[in-house]
């Protein structure tokens, strides 16, 4: 997508579609007031007639508006003017993008960025606009045969600014939004691909392809034999039942010399049957999304590379398929992790932690400034937080708060959950150093505590995205979360935010 900024009046701008907004109680937004004056009351008339709604999320496209150069005017509801915050703003842009994506508009002029939005600068308004458009325009139809729905012809988005002095910040917001959107789109694509296509090998090839032609980025892929030499008995126990070779993907982006890197670790279970502790049938197809942690960290790497951030970032993806089979790990089997600690596998369906613990141990070699793992780890997390917020656990209050704040700023929210010895006690085993499951209560937290046994001395956080990584039901599909949250952490850390 191409972006530009302009101070020109919306009514004077020749474009395929202008976007303006209206508030409750008949109050017009900046762009709508301009269009209303130029058209001698067209907006107000249509508000009275009920064609235009002021509710957030509603959009009406007007054509042939007199006195206005745009072919179309998309009028979106902005709700109560006192309540317009970044969340409502993004929702409004999304509604406009949805309506516009049904038209043949090739270029649009978004005048919503002129509205006074609580706590949002021109940078964030541009960024949220870019992300919202990309989110709406994303389609997954590569697996469908026959005539596909035509992709939107939209190529260019203009962003209105109040004064020339806002141009740089607004453009930077659009660039960052475009970078984050590319990461989100890649994460969605990897998540949506079926498990017979998106195997550990496919993830590895995708990571390699991202590095080709980028001097700052390298990708290395470790085979099962190499993982065995490293002593990753826990990771390898998960792949024992499948014919699909496991991979450990290691990506390194060097944008800041010799500074300590941030390391992102993503759960890459390309399909989770549960193994011998087999999952029930209903909705098992959704376990193709069990690599969304991996997709999100690879997507974040793609975003960082596209934004060319001055940061050092490493991504580690343990990629495996969890299947039953004659060689599969059995409940009660005891395995030895790379850390030397032994684990009694009481449930082969608690496999995410078994691959992450070895990847976390591997991350130590990078002497990281921070390690953040991302995983569709527990059904218990979905029970606790639903589909709205990602669970954030950490051994550092500062890091947890940093990620929490990043989620808010990026409109990709999280919520803190505890860790602690009282929960970790559930992981006691009669036969090994620990068991891989706790009791029936607090499952998201005991999973976090399990990982905590491998992160002593690291500045570490764990994100459980079981509820946020994909949507079920009629709109089934990967969300690309938490790429915006992670990108925000990195943007803030490297000082790239205005
Ligand atoms: N991938 C699942 C977690 C999951 C389930 C995410 C449903 C999203 C929706 C994970 O590997 C798993 O099976 N976890 C078990 C752990 C249990 C055996 C302690 C779970 O949550 O049931
Ligand atoms: Mn599982
Ligand atoms: Zn799983």
């Amino acid at each position: 997508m191409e972006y530009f900024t302009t101070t020109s009046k919306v009514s004077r701008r020749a474009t395929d579609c202008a976007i303006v907004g209206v508030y409750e109680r008949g109050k017009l937004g900046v762009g709508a007031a301009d269009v209303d004056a130029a058209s001698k009351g067209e907006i107000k008339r249509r508000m009275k007639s009920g064609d235009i709604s002021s509710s957030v999320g509603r959009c009406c496209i007007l054509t042939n508006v007199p006195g206005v150069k745009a072919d179309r005017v998309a009028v979106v509801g902005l709700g109560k003017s006192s309540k317009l915050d970044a969340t409502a703003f993004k929702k409004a842009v999304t509604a406009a993008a949805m309506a516009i994506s049904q038209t043949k508009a090739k270029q649009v002029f978004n005048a919503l960025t002129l509205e006074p939005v609580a706590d949002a600068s021109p940078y964030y308004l541009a960024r949220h606009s870019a992300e919202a458009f990309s989110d709406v325009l994303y389609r997954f139809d590569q697996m469908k045969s026959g005539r596909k729905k035509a992709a939107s012809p939209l190529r260019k988005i203009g962003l209105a600014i109040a004064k020339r002095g806002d141009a740089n910040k607004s453009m930077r917001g659009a660039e960052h939004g475009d970078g984050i959107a590319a990461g989100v789109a890649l994460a969605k694509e990897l998540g949506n691909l079926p498990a017979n296509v998106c195997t550990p090998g496919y993830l590895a090839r995708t990571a390699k392809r991202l590095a080709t032609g980028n001097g700052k980025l390298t990708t290395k892929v470790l085979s099962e034999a190499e993982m065995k030499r490293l002593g990753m008995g826990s990771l390898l126990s998960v792949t024992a039942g499948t014919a699909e070779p496991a991979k450990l993907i290691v990506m390194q982006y060097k944008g800041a010399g010799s500074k300590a890197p941030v390391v992102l670790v993503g759960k890459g279970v390309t399909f989770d049957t549960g193994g011998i502790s087999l999952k029930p049938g209903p909705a098992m197809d959704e376990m193709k999304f069990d690599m969304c942690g991996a997709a999100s960290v690879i997507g974040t790497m793609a975003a960082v590379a596209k934004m060319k951030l001055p940061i050092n970032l490493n991504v580690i993806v343990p990629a495996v398929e969890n299947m039953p089979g004659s060689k599969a790990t059995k409940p009660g089997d005891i395995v030895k992790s790379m850390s030397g600690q032994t684990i009694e596998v009481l449930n082969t369906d608690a496999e995410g932690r078994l691959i992450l613990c070895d990847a976390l141990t591997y991350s130590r070699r990078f002497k990281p400034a921070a390690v953040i793992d991302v995983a569709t780890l527990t059904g218990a997390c979905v029970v606790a937080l639903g589909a709205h917020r990602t669970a954030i656990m950490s051994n550092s209050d500062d890091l947890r708060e940093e990620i929490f704040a990043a989620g808010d700023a990026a409109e990709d929210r999280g919520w803190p959950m505890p860790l602690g010895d009282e929960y970790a006690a559930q992981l006691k085993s009669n036969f090994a150093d620990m068991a891989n499951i706790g009791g029936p209560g607090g499952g998201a937290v005991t999973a976090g505590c399990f990982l905590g046994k491998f992160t002593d001395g690291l500045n570490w956080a764990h994100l459980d995205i079981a509820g946020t990584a994909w949507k079920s039901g009629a709109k089934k599909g990967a969300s690309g979360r938490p790429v915006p949250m992670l990108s925000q952490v990195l943007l803030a850390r490297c000082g790239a935010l205005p």
Side-chain angles (χ1 to χ4, degrees):
M1 193 68 72
E2 202 187 310
Y3 296 92
F4 66 91
T5 58
T6 172
T7 52
S8 62
K9 270 187 149 182
V10 60
S11 60
R12 305 268 175 76
R13 189 95 202 167
T15 176
D16 294 343
C17 189
I19 309 171
V20 302
V22 297
Y23 296 97
E24 276 179 21
R25 297 173 184 278
K27 193 176 160 200
L28 303 182
V30 181
D34 173 21
V35 169
D36 194 63
S39 64
K40 305 209 167 62
E42 197 65 17
I43 300 278
K44 283 213 165 122
R45 262 197 302 281
R46 305 273 201 140
M47 283 177 91
K48 281 211 187 81
S49 70
D51 297 325
I52 291 173
S53 162
S54 60
S55 306
V56 180
R58 299 285 295 277
C59 178
C60 164
I61 293 191
L62 310 177
T63 51
N64 302 319
V65 182
V68 170
K69 285 200 175 154
D71 288 347
R72 306 173 185 82
V73 179
V75 189
V76 299
L78 296 172
K80 263 202 176 72
S81 59
S82 58
K83 282 211 172 137
L84 183 64
D85 55 11
T87 307
F89 174 83
K90 204 168 181 186
K91 219 168 146 185
V93 178
T94 300
M98 284 211 261
I100 292 167
S101 70
Q102 312 291 321
T103 74
K104 294 219 158 73
K106 293 193 190 72
Q107 33 127 330
V108 302
F109 179 58
N110 180 13
L112 297 179
T113 47
L114 295 173
E115 300 306 321
V117 180
D119 300 331
S121 59
Y123 167 84
Y124 282 103
L125 297 185
R127 194 173 121 185
H128 293 321
S129 295
E131 289 180 45
F133 264 94
S134 171
D135 209 50
V136 168
L137 297 180
Y138 173 83
R139 296 266 178 290
F140 183 81
D141 55 11
Q142 59 164 295
M143 307 304 290
K144 300 215 188 204
S145 66
R147 261 249 303 278
K148 296 174 187 180
K149 238 168 102 185
S152 158
L154 192 63
R155 294 289 171 272
K156 203 171 184 181
I157 298 174
L159 300 163
I161 48 173
K163 51 184 195 295
R164 285 289 1 137
D166 289 341
N168 283 344
K169 285 177 194 155
S170 178
M171 270 315 279
R172 187 159 4 150
E175 271 162 39
H176 287 175
D178 206 40
I180 293 166
V184 166
L186 176 60
K188 284 184 188 173
E189 197 71 5
L190 291 172
N192 288 334
L193 280 168
N196 60 331
V197 174
C198 186
T199 58
Y202 185 95
L203 286 177
R205 287 191 295 280
T206 303
K208 286 226 156 174
R209 184 162 44 77
L210 275 177
T212 41
N214 186 331
K216 291 194 176 122
L217 183 58
T218 52
T219 298
K220 173 168 99 173
V221 178
L222 277 65
S223 67
E224 288 182 10
E226 286 163 301
M227 290 187 257
K228 198 165 174 192
R229 255 177 268 137
L230 286 168
M232 297 186 162
S234 181
L235 188 162
L236 290 169
S237 76
V238 178
T239 198
T242 179
E244 205 60 66
K247 307 283 179 193
L248 186 75
I249 305 163
V250 184
M251 307 176 81
Q252 274 185 277
Y253 172 88
K254 273 203 175 304
S258 58
K259 258 179 118 176
V262 172
V263 178
L264 300 178
V265 178
K267 173 180 173 183
V269 176
T270 57
F271 197 83
D272 182 12
T273 65
I276 297 298
S277 313
L278 193 64
K279 285 186 179 294
M284 206 210 272
D285 67 289
E286 295 190 7
M287 284 299 115
K288 74 171 182 177
F289 294 119
D290 211 18
M291 35 56 68
C292 281
S296 75
V297 298
I298 294 172
T300 302
M301 180 60 97
V304 163
K306 188 153 190 201
M307 294 186 279
K308 300 193 172 74
L309 294 190
I311 196 167
N312 289 336
L313 174 67
N314 294 358
V315 156
I316 304 174
V317 170
V320 303
E321 190 177 70
N322 186 23
M323 291 279 278
S326 68
K327 300 230 168 107
T329 298
K330 304 166 290 298
D333 285 2
I334 294 176
V335 299
K336 190 167 184 176
S337 68
M338 185 179 174
S339 73
Q341 299 177 93
T342 58
I343 304 159
E344 185 184 14
V345 182
L346 288 177
N347 189 320
T348 64
D349 197 13
E351 85 297 339
R353 59 198 82 182
L354 294 176
I355 64 171
L356 289 169
C357 69
D358 280 342
L360 286 166
T361 301
Y362 185 86
S363 78
R364 287 180 189 274
R365 67 181 53 208
F366 300 120
K367 306 224 166 4
V371 182
I372 306 172
D373 77 72
V374 189
T376 49
L377 205 61
T378 62
C381 184
V382 189
V383 175
L385 295 179
H388 301 294
R389 290 185 186 246
T390 293
I392 312 173
M393 290 157 248
S394 179
N395 58 8
S396 151
D397 291 343
D398 286 347
L399 183 58
R400 190 180 55 242
E401 275 159 31
E402 177 186 347
I403 297 169
F404 180 81
D408 276 359
E411 291 291 313
D412 179 12
R413 289 186 165 74
W415 195 257
M417 299 257 267
L419 294 169
D421 293 341
E422 66 274 37
Y423 291 98
Q426 291 183 29
L427 296 165
K428 285 210 172 91
S429 160
N430 284 0
F431 306 106
D433 295 342
M434 71 193 84
N436 77 327
I437 54 168
V445 174
T446 52
C449 290
F450 179 94
L451 298 176
K453 291 181 180 290
F454 300 84
T455 56
D456 249 355
L458 290 172
N459 184 31
W460 160 75
H462 159 58
L463 305 182
D464 195 331
I465 57 166
T468 52
W470 76 88
K471 291 189 182 79
S472 306
K475 292 208 170 118
K476 196 191 283 183
S479 66
R481 294 177 69 182
V483 171
M485 178 197 271
L486 294 169
S487 300
Q488 182 74 14
V489 168
L490 299 168
L491 282 162
R493 276 198 173 229
C494 72
L497 295 171

